[in-house]
Amino acid sequence: MQDKIYGKIPLLDSLRKYSIKDITCFDVPGHVRNRGVKILNEYFGDDIMNMDINSSPRMDNVSNPQSIIKEAEALLAKAYKSKNAFFITNGTTQAIHAMILATINPGDKVLLPRNIHKSVINALILSGGQPIFIQPEFCDDLGISLNIDHYKVKDIIDKIEDIKAIFLLNPTYYGMCCDLKEIIDICSEKNILVLVDEAHGAHFPFNDELPVSAMELGAHMSAVSIHKTGGALTQASALLINENIDASKVKQIINMLQSTSASYLLMASIDGARHNLVENGQGQLLNALKLSRYAKSRINKVNNIKVISKELIGNKGVSYLDETKLCINVKKLNLTGFEVYDLLYKEFDIQPEMADLYNILALVSIGTTKEDIDKLINALEIISTISSKNQITKNIKIKQIKPIVKLNPREAFYSNKENVILSDCVDRVCGESIMAYPPGIPIIAPGELITKEIIDYIKLLKDNNAYLCDMNDKNLETILVIS
């Protein structure tokens, strides 16, 4: 690799310079650059092995950054229009845990939608916070949750006292955005903190045609998966904070959760991705938007397939929409989304982001090409032709599940439990999380009442080969319940 020196990429630039210096290493990692494990060199290359280093006086320390990491985080904060930004190397899961632990004490009430990621439930187990669920709007045609209606937020916080914070998923996995500004204004009147899981919106600040980011709208904290839509390496995320949040406490919490040997490859990839988004994001994301619109226009001409887009804007819970996410509705094919997902992967070497019973989700990003889009279109055309010969009509009805919280998640987690046969669990209190992954939204979480409706939905997902995870019984013949 030819050595290139870039301006304003302090960590990536310094890491590259350090990796090519003739330094005799008696520190970790034990592979000692490119010397110790030749098979890793053969697969990863010398450059990656030489840049896999540990903290040192020359390279700063993420636990208490004083030089190049401090500068890189300041540039990240500037790019995201936040007061502070912190490198996170264990994904947005860790950022969400830090966000909750820095603001929520045991017993504090948190208002949140039920279509949140499992990391939020786990953060409540860690913090002892008390969830108050608000149902997101639901689209029967798509079979998915949309986002939160701000009128519902106002109604709840007017009725329930002492809500400490609201936690929002914005955008949803399918790109649906609530009226975040209105919710922030409503919560401001009650001194309620606004925390945002913006994992799938890391690209928002870098193109004018995308929804406005949480930081720009005045949210107190947000977590962004820079690896998801910003171009960094997998697990590379950031935690962003605005005014009225104690940065020193946030840093203390991050240091409790994050490894003291945080990966320099991941941190440097955040630095490089940030630089690229600032320098090239406007054009790259405009190209992604054009490709997404082209894909929609073509796929919507395929028999029995429809791509959902801006026509949803204006519905309750959808004030804005991220067009780079292609929610492809396939239920009229007489195939489930899981089946189409498998066909795309096995027969066409196409990897969608995720699937559910009605849809597949394809992400159009800064690295997507027109050739990629055309390959997807052609595959869907073939699948549509094949499925038209299928005489079996699948009559799958999806309803929104409305869980009943019986115990605080932390209390449920630490309660005594027993395994009970699936069909015998009705009216028992769940002691574990069960979910389809991706996206990792719990079907049932610790402390919630197990109803017949939930059992039926679990059976429906099992029968349609959804990838279910996190449960104690990997075959899901039993559920862990409070004894």
Side-chain angles (χ1 to χ4, degrees), residues 17 26 57 80 104 116 153 162 165 179 198 241 270 288 336 425 440 472 477:
K17 289 177 180 177
F26 291 100
Y80 278 93
I104 302 302
I116 39 84
V153 172
D162 303 325
D179 192 337
E198 204 172 32
I241 66 173
I270 297 173
T336 66
C425 288
N472 184 56
E477 294 172 355

Side-chain angles (χ1 to χ4, degrees), residues 249-270:
K249 182 176 182 181
V250 172
K251 187 61 183 174
Q252 181 186 31
I253 298 296
I254 290 172
N255 285 344
M256 288 171 59
L257 300 172
Q258 184 151 276
S259 169
T260 52
S261 302
S263 168
Y264 273 80
L265 287 170
L266 296 186
M267 292 189 293
S269 80
I270 297 173

Side-chain angles (χ1 to χ4, degrees), residues 229-403:
T229 58
L233 297 180
T234 297
Q235 283 189 216
S237 295
L239 180 57
L240 311 171
I241 66 173
N242 265 329
E243 302 295 333
N244 304 320
I245 294 293
D246 185 348
S248 61
K249 182 176 182 181
V250 172
K251 187 61 183 174
Q252 181 186 31
I253 298 296
I254 290 172
N255 285 344
M256 288 171 59
L257 300 172
Q258 184 151 276
S259 169
T260 52
S261 302
S263 168
Y264 273 80
L265 287 170
L266 296 186
M267 292 189 293
S269 80
I270 297 173
D271 200 28
R274 183 269 314 157
H275 177 272
N276 178 69
L277 287 168
V278 170
E279 295 294 322
N280 307 309
Q282 186 78 11
Q284 288 183 327
L285 289 165
L286 180 59
N287 182 61
L289 285 165
K290 288 178 178 178
L291 287 173
S292 182
R293 291 161 185 164
Y294 163 71
K296 180 193 172 186
S297 67
R298 288 283 308 278
I299 295 171
N300 278 342
K301 294 175 183 176
V302 179
N303 287 337
N304 297 320
I305 296 179
K306 183 180 181 182
V307 181
I308 308 305
S309 190
K310 294 178 74 173
E311 64 267 18
L312 275 176
I313 295 176
N315 287 12
K316 282 187 177 182
V318 187
S319 293
Y320 306 94
L321 190 134
D322 178 7
E323 292 184 78
T324 66
K325 295 174 175 60
L326 296 176
C327 177
I328 304 171
N329 189 264
V330 298
K331 70 174 184 176
K332 290 185 178 179
L333 290 178
N334 286 329
L335 296 170
T336 66
F338 300 120
E339 289 171 323
V340 174
Y341 178 101
D342 287 341
L343 283 169
L344 287 170
Y345 172 68
K346 293 176 181 177
E347 303 298 330
F348 300 96
D349 289 331
I350 293 173
Q351 179 63 66
E353 168 65 11
M354 58 177 268
D356 59 44
L357 286 164
Y358 284 2
N359 311 282
I360 60 166
L361 178 66
L363 305 184
V364 183
S365 72
I366 57 176
T368 306
T369 66
K370 185 175 181 294
E371 290 73 21
D372 297 332
I373 298 294
D374 286 335
K375 184 178 179 181
L376 174 62
I377 293 166
N378 292 336
L380 291 172
E381 287 174 341
I382 294 169
I383 292 171
S384 173
T385 301
I386 294 170
S387 72
S388 65
K389 300 174 183 177
N390 183 6
Q391 300 301 312
I392 301 173
T393 301
K394 295 194 176 184
N395 189 25
I396 297 173
K397 299 292 184 183
I398 300 176
K399 294 189 297 183
Q400 188 178 44
I401 292 174
K402 300 178 181 180

Side-chain angles (χ1 to χ4, degrees), residues 194-214:
V194 179
L195 317 176
V196 183
D197 176 356
E198 204 172 32
H200 290 268
H203 55 309
F204 281 4
F206 305 102
N207 186 278
D208 300 334
E209 295 187 38
L210 293 167
V212 182
S213 73

